[in-house]
Amino acid sequence: MMKADNLVQEKSYAFAIRIVRLYQYLTDKKKEYVLSKQILRSGTSIGANVEEAIGGQSRADFVAKLSIAYKEARETSYWLRLLRDTDYLTEKEFESIYPDVEELCRIIGSIQKSSKNGNS
C-alpha cells in the first residue's frame, strides 16, 4: 500500500517479540498469569492486524484492520500502565517498553488518517 506500512510492519513485529519476552518474564519470574495473558494477546495482535491490513482486499478492509491494530495498541498501553502501577513492572522496565507502544499508536493513527482521506 504505502511505504509507512513497512515501518509499522517492522515495528509492530519487533514489539510483538518484546511482548512475548515480557510474557515469559511475567510468568516465569513474577508468577503472574492473568494480566500477562491479556498483554500477550493484545500486544501480539497489533502486528497480526497490521499484516492483515497490508494484505487487505480493499481500502475499506485495510482501514478496518488498521483500526483494530490501533485499538489493540491502546489496550496494550493500558495493560502496561496497569502492570507498572501494580508493581509487576518497575518504572525502568515500563519506560523501556512503553514508548514503543505509544509510537505504534502514533504511526497507526497517522496511517489511518491518511488512508481515510484517500492519501495512500
Side-chain angles (χ1 to χ4, degrees):
M1 279 247 158
M2 59 185 111
K3 207 172 189 183
D5 291 351
N6 298 335
L7 177 68
V8 74
Q9 186 178 25
E10 287 169 26
K11 287 188 177 284
S12 59
Y13 185 78
F15 184 73
I17 291 170
R18 293 195 69 196
I19 287 293
V20 169
R21 295 201 172 119
L22 174 60
Y23 171 78
Q24 291 166 330
Y25 165 77
L26 288 169
T27 55
D28 295 349
K29 303 276 189 281
K30 300 285 189 171
K31 304 298 181 213
E32 199 303 308
Y33 304 102
V34 178
L35 300 176
S36 57
K37 193 153 268 180
Q38 293 287 345
I39 200 163
L40 177 67
R41 190 199 53 73
S42 67
T44 55
S45 180
I46 301 165
N49 279 288
V50 165
E51 289 291 336
E52 285 191 49
I54 292 168
Q57 301 297 306
S58 64
R59 177 182 299 279
D61 193 22
F62 177 79
V63 170
K65 291 297 180 194
L66 215 56
S67 147
I68 295 168
Y70 182 78
K71 289 178 193 173
E72 295 292 346
R74 296 287 343 137
E75 182 182 338
T76 303
S77 168
Y78 170 84
W79 292 122
L80 284 170
R81 293 189 319 272
L82 189 62
L83 285 163
R84 176 199 58 198
D85 295 342
T86 54
D87 301 322
Y88 282 107
L89 290 180
T90 65
E91 190 63 34
K92 186 178 178 189
E93 290 163 340
F94 174 80
E95 289 300 334
S96 135
I97 194 167
Y98 191 73
D100 292 357
V101 77
E102 289 296 290
E103 181 184 26
L104 281 170
C105 286
R106 280 193 304 277
I107 294 169
I108 294 168
S110 167
I111 296 170
Q112 273 182 302
K113 258 186 210 150
S114 64
S115 296
K116 285 177 183 169
N117 296 336
N119 302 329
S120 71

